[in-house]
Amino acid sequence: MIQTAHFKIDPRLAMLLGETYRSTEHALKELVDNAWDADADHVWISLPDAMTTDPIVIKDDGCGMDENEVRKEYLMVARDRRSGRGDRTARKNRLVKGRKGIGKFAGLMAADIMQLETMANGIITYLTIPRQELLKANTDLEQFELLITTLECGLGEHGTVITLSDLNQSFSFPTAERLKELLILEYGRQTDFKIHVNGDLLGMEDIPGDIFNHEADMPGAGPVRFRFKIVDKKQKLKNAGIVVRVGGKIVGKPGYFGLDDEEDIPHKILKQVFGEIEADGLADDTTADWGAFVENSKAFQVMAQWAQQQLRQEVLRKYKREVNLAKARLKKEINQRIAKLPEYRRAYAEQTMERIMLRCYDQSEERMKPIMSVVLDALEGIPDRI
Ligand SMILES: Nc1ncnc2c1ncn2[C@@H]1O[C@H](COP(=O)(O)OP(=O)(O)OP(=O)(O)O)[C@@H](O)[C@H]1O
Ligand SMILES: [Mg+2]
């Protein structure tokens, strides 16, 4: 006899899907990604003070959802929103981040109660998802009754507020600093998506690492302000590079002013650079669509050359410091061998070793050792001039 069977879904699935985040801060980023997808201009996150029972609140001014959308889109598990609505957002044409249809459960990792309050099309909809009750429920996830309430609101009002209360005590308290670091690496370049954490607008200062500031008055371009950071190797930067901002608008894509074509600069370290140049005086040197600078603009070329120099200087300095730190042991051995060379050959040997070290920035000490050794053998083997 042939019959049909059906999957059953334990409500615990909602928790399992929310448990894959490394930290509460990572889980919160998921909710910020939802605000991005909702075409929000702003998202405000407020984190509770330590030792209080205050909730975490994530508020955005995006498109929001009406009751129907909450039921059909928000509560639909594992739906790829791009299949129905494409991979660009409707209003701002942003590349959509949501793809798995499970990000909403991130909130349940951090808290026992997740409340959604969302406004669109003249309706404000409230929905509560209680973690403990879901866990205890002896029913199918689809059958679990969630409380949903609606009220009328102004037709033009839109946006969403997620409130996470009864925070999970077994996780360390989310800190504004860590959350900012995480968000700035992803969203640091966006001019139309402003993130506020505990009232502070996220900016370049929130990127971990030393900040470099250079200012100059350029012929043709006027006053130019260059700020950049070189982040730690461990940090993964999205959109690394330097952008040029003219009148607040970013022109073209992040780049390195030709430094990426230079042989002595390893690409890997350039991926750790994040910064911007403000050059309002270049307004007449951009292409009509602001997609690039006019190639033969003298003012731009002068500025680019100056920027390259500043960048080169700091990058090399940082890079040498990193290499020296990482390869300290190897360096000691090399120095011992160099010390035994005839004096007139030492400076050349030191320079050669330094060049090799910098070139082999990405290599492990074990890999570098034989290369260094062969070169030193050669240097030691050159017969002395008479
Ligand atoms: N802040 C929000 N504003 C408006 N709509 C939202 C918001 N958060 C979620 N939604 C809607 O609910 C849907 C489900 O969100 P969820 O985060 O669970 O999945 P997703 O974003 O589609 O994919 P992913 O799992 O990759 O995040 C979204 O696709 C979106 O339609
Ligand atoms: Mg999502």
Side-chain angles (χ1 to χ4, degrees):
M1 183 170 63
I2 299 177
Q3 284 179 308
T4 53
H6 300 275
F7 281 114
K8 293 262 176 221
I9 302 172
D10 192 289
R12 217 167 64 89
L13 179 73
M15 256 58 71
L16 294 176
L17 293 173
E19 275 168 9
T20 52
Y21 300 93
R22 269 180 286 163
S23 67
T24 305
E25 288 85 354
H26 281 91
L28 295 179
K29 181 179 163 292
E30 195 67 54
L31 304 178
V32 174
D33 290 348
N34 279 353
W36 165 265
D37 286 348
D39 276 335
D41 293 316
H42 294 269
V43 49
W44 298 266
I45 304 160
S46 90
L47 298 176
D49 288 332
M51 315 302 285
T52 65
T53 52
D54 295 344
I56 299 174
V57 182
I58 301 110
K59 176 177 170 191
D60 71 60
D61 60 357
C63 60
M65 291 170 274
D66 60 22
E67 185 190 353
N68 194 33
E69 286 164 333
V70 171
R71 291 181 183 277
K72 293 212 167 118
E73 285 165 21
Y74 190 78
L75 289 175
M76 175 75 109
V77 179
R79 184 190 61 113
D80 182 353
R81 61 172 270 162
R82 295 169 309 163
S83 59
R85 288 192 274 167
D87 59 6
R88 293 272 170 184
T89 62
R91 201 165 63 92
K92 288 182 178 267
N93 201 34
R94 290 175 177 165
L95 205 55
V96 168
K97 292 194 188 281
R99 43 196 62 203
K100 299 194 188 131
I102 58 173
K104 64 202 141 247
F105 294 119
L108 287 181
M109 170 210 170
D112 262 359
I113 297 176
M114 180 159 95
Q115 280 166 301
L116 166 83
E117 176 185 331
T118 183
M119 290 184 292
N121 304 327
I123 297 166
I124 177 162
T125 307
Y126 300 90
L127 175 82
T128 304
I129 307 183
R131 179 187 151 92
Q132 290 304 334
E133 282 160 43
L134 259 171
L135 274 173
K136 277 186 253 150
N138 200 7
T139 165
D140 205 79
L141 182 59
E142 274 183 88
Q143 305 304 320
F144 186 87
E145 285 180 355
L146 296 164
L147 290 182
I148 190 163
T149 318
T150 54
L151 287 173
E152 278 182 19
C153 68
L155 250 186
E157 292 190 72
H158 55 89
T160 300
V161 186
I162 305 276
T163 308
L164 304 170
S165 22
D166 290 355
L167 300 187
N168 190 336
Q169 298 300 324
S170 49
F171 290 121
S172 54
F173 234 69
T175 72
E177 206 186 6
R178 256 193 318 227
L179 181 64
K180 284 175 173 178
E181 268 182 22
L182 203 66
L183 295 173
I184 192 81
L185 295 177
E186 173 97 14
Y187 290 109
R189 288 260 184 256
Q190 305 306 334
T191 43
D192 63 347
F193 187 57
K194 301 212 161 45
I195 304 176
H196 311 252
V197 178
N198 289 348
D200 297 333
L201 177 64
L202 236 68
M204 232 173 76
E205 313 71 50
D206 297 307
I207 297 177
D210 300 332
I211 189 155
F212 302 101
N213 271 304
H214 296 275
E215 284 179 33
D217 209 345
M218 306 256 126
V224 172
R225 186 164 172 236
F226 185 10
R227 292 189 312 149
F228 62 95
K229 286 218 166 179
I230 306 179
V231 307
D232 217 53
K233 261 200 234 170
K234 288 178 285 186
Q235 306 280 352
K236 282 239 166 353
L237 274 179
K238 267 229 168 130
N239 303 320
I242 309 294
V243 290
V244 184
R245 218 184 263 273
V246 178
K249 240 185 190 164
I250 292 176
V251 180
K253 295 204 172 98
Y256 305 95
F257 307 106
L259 206 58
D260 38 340
D261 296 327
E262 304 275 317
E263 272 216 347
D264 59 335
I265 308 283
H267 277 196
K268 204 146 186 187
I269 197 157
L270 289 179
K271 294 273 171 254
Q272 291 164 240
V273 173
F274 189 97
E276 63 178 53
I277 295 180
E278 280 170 55
D280 292 350
L282 289 180
D284 295 334
D285 301 79
T286 62
T287 54
D289 62 352
W290 292 72
F293 286 96
V294 177
E295 262 176 35
N296 56 3
S297 148
K298 273 212 182 107
F300 174 72
Q301 281 163 10
V302 171
M303 190 216 64
Q305 210 167 19
W306 170 80
Q308 197 207 80
Q309 268 168 19
Q310 313 305 320
L311 194 58
R312 161 188 280 280
Q313 214 177 14
E314 305 294 1
V315 161
L316 277 179
R317 200 175 293 161
K318 161 97 175 168
Y319 171 41
K320 283 187 183 165
R321 216 171 37 225
E322 275 190 12
V323 170
N324 284 341
L325 271 177
K327 314 268 159 52
R329 219 158 23 128
L330 193 59
K331 199 119 200 247
K332 208 168 146 201
E333 257 181 71
I334 292 167
N335 287 346
Q336 280 168 357
R337 284 180 72 175
I338 289 179
K340 288 187 194 143
L341 288 173
E343 202 178 336
Y344 71 90
R345 226 183 263 162
R346 284 182 210 152
Y348 174 71
E350 268 167 20
Q351 272 173 19
T352 312
M353 287 300 125
E354 180 137 306
R355 276 207 341 253
I356 300 176
M357 278 230 186
L358 292 180
R359 277 287 182 90
C360 301
Y361 175 62
D362 308 337
Q363 308 286 341
S364 66
E365 205 175 304
E366 288 68 43
R367 285 194 138 199
M368 275 177 71
K369 217 169 163 172
I371 305 173
M372 298 296 223
S373 209
V374 168
V375 179
L376 279 167
D377 286 349
L379 284 166
E380 286 163 354
I382 301 170
D384 278 347
R385 275 173 285 180
I386 305 153

